[in-house]
Amino acid sequence: MTLSITLTVNGTPHHLALDDMRVTLLDLLRDRLGLTGTKKGCDRGQCGACTVLVDGRRLNACLSLAVQQDGADIVTIEGLAPEGSLHPVQEAFLEHDAFQCGYCTPGQIMSAAGLIAEGADGTDMERIREGMSGNICRCGAYRGIAEAVAEAARKARTEADA
Amino acid sequence: MKSFEYLRPETLDEALAALSDPDAASLGGGTNLLDLMKLGVAGPERIVDLARLPGLDRIETLPDGMTRVGALVRNSDLAADPGFAAAFPMVAEALLSGASAQLRNAATVGGNLMQATRCAYFQDPFAACNRRAAGSGCDALGGANRGHAVLGWSPACIAVHPSDFCVPLAALGAEAEIAGPSGTRLVPLAEFHLLPGEEPHRATALEPGEIVLALRLPAAAAGFAGNARYLKLRERTSYAFAVVSAAAALRIEDGTVAAARLALGGVAARPWRCSEAEEALAGKPATAESFAAAASIALSNAAPSGANGYKIVLAERLLARTMAAAAAGTPAEMPALPGSLMDDTGEAAHA
Ligand SMILES: Cc1cc2nc3c(=O)[nH]c(=O)nc-3n(C[C@H](O)[C@H](O)[C@H](O)COP(=O)(O)OP(=O)(O)OC[C@H]3O[C@@H](n4cnc5c(N)ncnc54)[C@H](O)[C@@H]3O)c2cc1C
Ligand code: SF4
Ligand code: FES
Ligand code: FES
């Protein structure tokens, strides 16, 4: 069967004809739209490397069919900040050296952006770690990651209050 | 993955018609079905995406005081709903102790109820598994079965149901509202998942072609909101399935347990409601001794199905501890680590 779907990805609408229903959102982003910033780790929901924002909420792109997201607004790591600038979470990751090999990093950053948008991060490090537990880092850069997320969350709150 | 036809009905009638094909499967968030399709364990010819069915993304109070939660409500939205979390705090805690934030954003209420066992042999199409392929045997018997059942199992299947959410629901007497070609019916959640018996191939009370429409919680269940906890033992603090878990909700009057609602997770093919322990606890003082006695009743029929006898002791102690935590009062705020025992030690829970 063939089905046409519409996805807005990083602000750009795409009309896509799918001739195979099996394609996941992750494979569509990487292979069809060339957005390889979103990573494939486990392909089973177990690592978080494929995290993207769908209608503002973080999801594992590997466990969603592309066709399920017909009409959705998707943000990937490529579109988190305007070209040439960094999102506060990206800045904080640089500042806190929150990575080693970098493979989990796009997923970590998208997940952190989702967490901060949910407003459930609190200022409590334990809540941040729990909120980020869906993102595994094989290099074990968790300390820097948690500090980066905490700082970005703090900044987001200060800005919201200002 | 096998290829399939994809349908996205806009009405219940259309959905039920589409599901009359025996090789069709309902799709909620896809976090379990898609995984099983990739593994070659599920291979539907037709996927019926329920996402556009009207009215199933709502949490409402019915005229009789029942709370009705539509099958499409996301796990994260249900846990975050202030009214729901206040009335049924241990359900919210159980939801937040499960999976990850990303998965909870995708997972639906219906899909959580219907999720398959995580038995490694069930997930391996080359292994013998009566649940996946009727009559093929059970490689978990005598295999790697540390995580398997200690209650309600049969030699045909020793798997456990992995849901956290379903455990407090079973304790609180929730019901699943099921729709099919011949109308709708209600099934108590504690009986929704079938014990394996001779036919582990059938996992739930759902007949072919039926769907879960909603979940109902009786008004009286909210009467336990002040003393309710869900605790979950895991091999790591977060983003892991339960080894064993327990839900305990108490109504305490003048230091006496007026009524109790208890269930265990990770011990059987269904969330295990502990009715006899509930009855034994009613009228007893809310003390550690009463809790230990009730917990021991709950596990009195337990038997290992392999290298899992440790679970019997663990479940008994966890159930008693969960009752004690419930008696101490539902925390005013959701714990930073939902369902975790680490939370009340004062020690850093994460490395
Ligand atoms: C890495 C990982 C970790 C996890 N950890 C936990 C955990 O700690 N605790 C826990 O409880 N869960 C855990 N889960 C499981 C998760 O909760 C389930 O995958 C999720 O709840 C399924 O919901 P869904 O909407 O995505 O279901 P789907 O994948 O869409 O569907 C699952 C099944 O239900 C059927 N179905 C869906 N909706 C309906 C309906 N309305 N009526 C009838 N049938 C329906 C489908 O046909 C399918 O068979 C984990 C999952 C993963 C991948
Ligand atoms: S325990 Fe049940 S699910 Fe696991 S292999 Fe045996 S029959 Fe299959
Ligand atoms: S690739 Fe999606 S969670 Fe690992
Ligand atoms: S930086 Fe290497 S996996 Fe996280």
Side-chain angles (χ1 to χ4, degrees):
Chain A
M1 80 185 274
T2 310
L3 215 98
S4 294
I5 63 167
T6 306
L7 290 182
T8 303
V9 182
N10 300 330
T12 310
H14 294 270
H15 303 284
L16 301 154
L18 294 181
D19 55 9
D20 190 333
M21 298 300 110
R22 289 176 291 186
V23 61
T24 60
L25 177 61
L26 176 60
D27 289 342
L28 181 108
L29 291 170
R30 291 180 54 86
D31 301 340
R32 185 129 177 207
L33 300 181
L35 295 169
T36 53
T38 307
K39 301 302 180 202
K40 184 185 282 193
C42 63
D43 211 23
R44 291 193 61 194
Q46 298 179 349
C47 75
C50 64
T51 304
V52 297
L53 299 181
V54 175
D55 296 329
R57 309 172 64 160
R58 45 191 171 147
L59 284 193
N60 300 115
C62 71
L63 283 189
S64 174
L65 294 171
V67 61
Q68 264 177 280
Q69 301 303 341
D70 189 6
D73 187 348
I74 290 158
V75 178
T76 69
I77 189 73
E78 289 90 345
L80 191 58
E83 187 65 39
S85 65
L86 292 177
H87 184 273
V89 176
Q90 291 171 313
E91 277 173 2
F93 266 63
L94 283 174
E95 183 94 0
H96 290 271
D97 207 10
F99 34 69
Q100 204 177 99
C101 78
Y103 197 81
C104 71
T105 311
Q108 300 278 2
I109 290 176
M110 296 311 292
S111 188
L115 174 71
I116 292 169
E118 285 155 25
D121 51 282
T123 43
D124 177 348
M125 288 306 279
E126 207 71 299
R127 281 185 200 274
I128 287 175
R129 293 191 192 99
E130 169 65 26
M132 291 294 293
S133 77
N135 294 80
I136 306 289
C137 174
R138 274 299 97 184
C139 298
Y142 294 111
R143 188 193 173 109
I145 293 169
E147 285 169 358
V149 178
E151 180 178 321
R154 234 175 358 252
K155 276 196 183 147
R157 208 166 303 113
T158 324
E159 270 166 36
D161 292 345
Chain B
M1 199 195 295
K2 254 176 62 182
S3 62
F4 53 84
E5 174 194 23
Y6 173 87
L7 298 174
R8 196 162 50 210
E10 309 260 343
T11 66
L12 179 59
D13 286 346
E14 276 172 45
L16 293 175
L19 285 164
S20 65
D21 175 345
D23 290 318
S26 298
L27 179 70
T31 61
N32 189 218
L33 184 59
L34 211 52
D35 193 7
L36 294 175
M37 287 165 65
K38 290 181 187 187
L39 292 170
V41 171
E45 301 279 341
R46 170 188 284 182
I47 284 194
V48 182
D49 187 348
L50 305 178
R52 303 282 159 96
L53 293 190
L56 298 186
D57 58 354
R58 285 206 295 262
I59 306 166
E60 55 197 337
T61 308
L62 302 179
D64 61 1
M66 283 243 182
T67 298
R68 182 177 188 264
V69 183
L72 293 175
V73 173
R74 304 288 159 171
N75 287 191
S76 50
D77 289 337
L78 185 58
D81 184 82
F84 184 87
F88 313 109
M90 70 174 174
V91 182
E93 184 164 19
L95 280 167
L96 292 175
S97 78
S100 67
Q102 288 94 317
L103 288 160
R104 293 190 297 267
N105 277 342
T108 62
V109 159
N112 192 316
L113 262 55
M114 292 295 295
Q115 64 175 303
T117 179
R118 307 301 288 198
C119 172
Y121 304 100
F122 175 82
Q123 296 192 339
D124 172 5
F126 301 102
C129 171
N130 290 323
R131 188 173 283 269
R132 174 170 36 73
S136 63
C138 171
D139 274 350
L141 268 181
N145 52 27
R146 280 189 79 250
H148 287 68
V150 295
L151 282 162
W153 54 273
S154 77
C157 177
I158 59 173
V160 301
H161 193 259
S163 169
D164 292 299
F165 180 42
C166 291
V167 179
L169 291 177
L172 291 174
E175 294 174 309
E177 193 182 314
I178 295 172
S182 45
T184 60
R185 61 196 178 101
L186 293 174
V187 175
L189 209 87
E191 289 154 31
F192 179 83
H193 302 92
L194 304 181
L195 292 179
E198 304 282 304
E199 281 197 325
H201 197 53
R202 263 197 83 196
T204 71
L206 229 63
E207 300 287 345
E210 288 188 321
I211 66 167
V212 178
L213 264 194
L215 195 69
R216 289 172 181 235
L217 283 127
F224 292 86
N227 293 90
R229 283 305 297 274
Y230 180 74
L231 294 179
K232 172 180 179 187
L233 295 175
R234 293 158 265 198
E235 287 181 344
R236 62 181 180 201
T237 307
S238 184
Y239 200 16
F241 286 96
V243 176
V244 295
S245 66
L250 308 173
R251 240 182 38 238
I252 301 176
E253 289 161 11
D254 300 329
T256 299
V257 179
R261 296 285 183 271
L262 307 171
L264 290 166
V267 294
R270 62 165 52 144
W272 194 265
R273 181 153 186 195
C274 310
S275 308
E276 286 171 19
E278 290 175 4
E279 282 159 29
L281 189 58
K284 299 280 175 359
T287 59
E289 292 71 40
S290 313
F291 300 151
S296 133
I297 291 170
L299 275 301
S300 57
N301 291 324
S305 60
N308 42 46
Y310 75 99
K311 277 192 171 186
I312 300 172
V313 187
L314 208 57
E316 186 177 327
R317 290 184 186 161
L318 183 69
L319 184 57
R321 187 154 172 181
T322 309
M323 289 183 236
T330 305
E333 188 189 13
M334 182 60 67
L337 306 176
S340 174
L341 287 176
M342 304 298 182
D343 223 37
D344 51 25
T345 60
E347 289 163 27
H350 288 274

